[in-house]
Amino acid sequence: MVTGEITLDIDEENKTSLQQILGQLEGILQYQLKHRDVIVFYDSQRITYDQILETTLQANYHISRFYVTEEEC
């Protein structure tokens, strides 16, 4: 399995709806909310970081920057 991690730097303080959206996406293994960051662990064979970015933007969240890493397990 190839897993990925994407860290999103999001300006908005209210991330409640984003939690719900991420929880519904197939391929999301886990996510953590920190002050401005949302760290998402995902199965890159089931979902791509592009899909995560697109979903986040469609939910009207502004992403200041993001970092992606992927590794094979």
Side-chain angles (χ1 to χ4, degrees):
M1 172 170 49
V2 179
T3 59
E5 175 184 332
I6 182 169
T7 301
L8 307 171
D9 185 354
I10 296 181
D11 293 335
E12 289 82 1
E13 292 296 321
N14 183 1
K15 298 181 183 79
T16 304
S17 64
L18 183 58
Q19 286 179 297
Q20 294 169 348
I21 292 165
L22 291 174
Q24 294 174 359
L25 290 176
E26 191 170 322
I28 301 294
L29 303 173
Q30 177 184 350
Y31 56 88
Q32 301 170 353
L33 303 177
K34 304 226 175 181
H35 176 64
R36 285 180 53 128
D37 293 341
V38 178
I39 303 169
V40 182
F41 300 94
Y42 61 96
D43 178 347
S44 61
Q45 294 173 329
R46 297 173 63 198
I47 191 168
T48 65
Y49 74 87
D50 288 338
Q51 291 170 304
I52 297 168
L53 288 173
E54 183 177 327
T55 301
T56 303
L57 292 172
Q58 286 177 350
N60 293 322
Y61 283 93
H62 175 76
I63 300 171
S64 299
R65 62 180 172 255
F66 66 93
Y67 307 94
V68 177
T69 57
E70 291 188 355
E71 61 183 52
E72 192 167 343
C73 298

